[in-house]
Structures are given as C-alpha cells and as structure tokens.
Amino acid sequence: MSTSQMQVFNDFVIPSTIETLAQIVAKFNEASRGTIRLTTKGFTGDFLQESFFQAVHGAQRRVNRYAAQAAAPVTDLTQLRFSAVKIAGGFGPIRFEPSQLTWLNKPTAAGIEVASRNFAEALMRDQLNTAIAALRAAISNQAAATHDISATAGITQSALNSMHAKFGDRSGELVANIMTGEVYHRLIGLNLANAQQLFKSDGVTVIDILGKSAVVTDAPALYVAGTPNKQFVLGLVPGAATVMDAGDLISNIQTVNGQTRIETTMQVDYTFGLALNGYTWDETNGGKSPTDAALATGSNWDLVASSIKKTAGVCCIGDAAK
C-alpha cells in the first residue's frame, strides 16, 4: 500500500476502525423476523438435495351413496426433489505495508485485524444481498405471486395490501416487507399526509404496515434500472431464504519482498449455500457455482410447491418515478 493510501499523522490518535457499512447487515438480519436465516448448517458438493412428497389434496372427491359402483380415478403419490445451490465468493487481496504501522507505533497485526473485520461484514452483506436477489428473481417470475403496477404507478400502502392479498387466507404468514430506503420514505410521506396514520415508525429502520415489519436495506436487487426504473418490495414468510455456511472458508496472509518496502496481503475464498422456500435451483439451466446474473434469473428457480401460498412470499413492483 502506498503512502497515498495510508495517512501518517504527527501525534494523532488513529483507532483501528473501518468505515461503517452503508447497509447495517446485522440489524437487517435481526429485524427480518427470520425471513432470511443465516445458519451454520453444513453444505457439501455442488447442490444440497432433499426429497418430499407432493400434497395429495387433489385426491379428494365427492361420493354419491345411491349411485351405481364405478371406477374411481387414481392419484399417484409423487415424490419431488428440492435443490439448494452452493455459491462461491472471494475477498481481497487487501494490501498494506507493515513498516507504515510500525512507523505509527502500532502493531503490524492491526492491519490484519482491520481487514478481517471488514471481511466478516462483507461476507454477511454478500449473503444477504444474494438471498434478496434470488428471492426477487424467483418470486417475481411467478405471476400469481407478483403485484406489478410499474406501468402505471409507484409503490403505495394500497399496493402493498394488494401484494399481501396474493397469499389469500394465509396472508398473515407474511411477517416482513423488504424494501429500499427510498420506498420507506415514500411510505412515510404518504403516512404524514394521512389523517388515519395507518402505520407507525420507530425512527430507525423498522416500521409496521398492516401488522408486518418493514425492513429497510438498499440491496441492489430491489432497484432495477430500465424503462421504467423499477422498485421491488418483497413480502416474506419466516424461512423464505436459508443461507448455509459451507464450512470451507480459506484465508491466506502473505508477506513478500521485491518492492522498496515490504508488503503484506490478505486474501480469502469462501462458499455458502442458498435455499428458497417453495423453489428448487434448476441444476441444468442454473448450473454449478453460479454467477450473480444466474442467481438473479427467475427461470433458474423452479416452483415446486403446489401453491404460491406455500412459498417464500410475494412481490410488488412499482415505477420509481411515480
């Protein structure tokens, strides 16, 4: 790292801190009410596959006790397969010069400590943003789960109510709405002009709309540029997405010669698994070790639940300019 990248001060206190992330991922995880779960469940191989039996409610029939005997239609007991996918990522290399830290009378380990904490937060941010991108893709790919008003209007409280209605009599299972800060303040503005005061805000990042928490995070997938520019809100059930620690984080710290001053770098490789409630990863179309683009493609997440009401949740799409 050159001196233009690390400042040297005379008699000045330099705490070992990093910039606060724009997205407070820890608070998001807590406030999501379990809709996106970060777990330590292991993950081996490219996919995690589970099987389950399809519901047989279609086998129910009405019987006429006075009619003549006749052959009854047969419903086969069907076993379906659900797949989660393993995702790979990397961090760094982060470079610094140990001599610059010793010049400041700081231990050289301080550089590694800062980089390590930065990585830990970056990893959680990656997991959350990836889960949100996959959820938006899978849900918005299902017309029955999507309330799309982007051609005529922006997101409002009424639009969110219509989104929740997609779950019908199970709308109470939707416990949290995931939205951007811009949508959050749009709703606050509507509330200020509404004498009925339909929801209340705690002044931070969680509000209550129709009995559901609203979690605010500027995840990239919640805003898609185009004509028009679209904003997305996700209404999720508990366990809508599950992120699994794959347990194969590899880090390397290396100090090398060859420059005018000794340099140290830190680099990390990691993987994690992702599963969506009611959807399976399409192993053929989506493939192994998918890219961000593949994860954010709705057709790579196949609906396996027998009803939208048994899936991760619903989606509302609005015009960002209206």
Side-chain angles (χ1 to χ4, degrees):
M1 181 179 292
S2 67
T3 53
S4 62
Q5 294 172 293
M6 180 176 287
Q7 301 298 314
V8 177
F9 299 94
N10 292 325
D11 298 324
F12 196 86
V13 177
I14 309 175
S16 295
T17 59
I18 60 175
E19 286 184 289
T20 302
L21 290 173
Q23 293 171 254
I24 309 302
V25 292
K27 186 164 186 178
F28 174 88
N29 193 38
E30 177 184 356
S32 71
R33 295 178 66 180
T35 54
I36 298 178
R37 295 174 177 168
L38 305 182
T39 73
T40 57
K41 183 179 180 180
F43 197 116
T44 59
D46 297 309
F47 309 106
L48 177 63
Q49 300 170 334
E50 298 180 13
S51 63
F52 64 97
F53 290 103
Q54 188 175 35
V56 294
H57 55 77
Q60 186 272 333
R61 55 188 173 82
R62 185 65 59 214
V63 175
N64 185 343
R65 298 296 182 187
Y66 298 94
Q69 284 282 32
V74 177
T75 300
D76 292 324
L77 186 63
T78 303
Q79 192 172 23
L80 300 177
R81 189 177 70 179
F82 161 84
S83 292
V85 63
K86 181 182 281 188
I87 303 162
F91 178 83
I94 302 298
R95 182 175 58 192
F96 70 96
E97 297 174 18
S99 62
Q100 290 180 322
L101 291 169
T102 57
W103 185 274
L104 299 171
N105 289 323
K106 295 178 69 67
T108 57
I112 298 301
E113 192 271 338
V114 170
S116 298
R117 283 191 291 118
N118 204 323
F119 162 71
E121 294 192 10
L123 172 59
M124 183 177 291
R125 178 175 58 186
D126 183 22
Q127 291 174 338
L128 292 174
N129 284 345
T130 301
I132 290 172
L135 284 166
R136 190 217 74 196
I139 296 172
S140 64
N141 195 47
Q142 302 297 323
T146 305
H147 180 58
D148 188 351
I149 55 172
S150 60
T152 58
I155 293 174
T156 63
Q157 296 147 326
S158 177
L160 294 185
N161 183 54
S162 296
M163 174 186 75
H164 299 152
K166 294 287 185 178
F167 251 43
D169 59 352
R170 297 179 71 167
S171 63
E173 296 180 16
L174 299 166
V175 298
N177 296 316
I178 313 300
M179 65 184 67
T180 66
E182 197 282 330
V183 172
Y184 165 78
H185 286 287
R186 176 196 294 261
L187 295 173
I188 290 291
L190 291 172
N191 192 49
L192 292 173
N194 188 331
Q196 282 71 39
Q197 299 289 296
L198 294 181
F199 65 86
K200 294 182 179 180
S201 168
D202 67 359
V204 189
T205 57
V206 184
I207 56 179
D208 187 277
I209 302 175
L210 302 173
K212 308 175 194 309
S213 296
V215 184
V216 181
T217 180
D218 285 337
L222 296 179
Y223 182 95
V224 177
T227 306
N229 295 328
K230 295 181 179 181
Q231 291 173 321
F232 292 76
V233 174
L234 303 176
L236 304 179
V237 301
T242 301
V243 176
M244 293 155 278
D245 178 15
D248 59 349
L249 184 149
I250 303 171
S251 63
N252 186 56
I253 299 171
Q254 183 178 30
T255 301
V256 297
N257 300 325
Q259 301 295 318
T260 55
R261 295 180 301 275
I262 297 172
E263 294 179 332
T264 296
T265 60
M266 173 183 173
Q267 188 167 340
V268 182
D269 290 337
Y270 61 89
T271 63
F272 59 90
L274 178 63
L276 303 185
N277 184 9
Y279 298 89
T280 184
W281 177 252
D282 192 315
E283 298 176 13
T284 301
N285 293 330
K288 303 175 182 178
S289 190
T291 63
D292 286 339
L295 291 164
T297 299
S299 58
N300 289 335
W301 295 98
D302 298 333
L303 179 68
V304 290
S306 58
S307 168
I308 287 298
K309 293 187 284 186
K310 298 178 182 178
T311 64
V314 289
C315 176
C316 183
I317 311 174
D319 185 344
K322 296 182 179 179

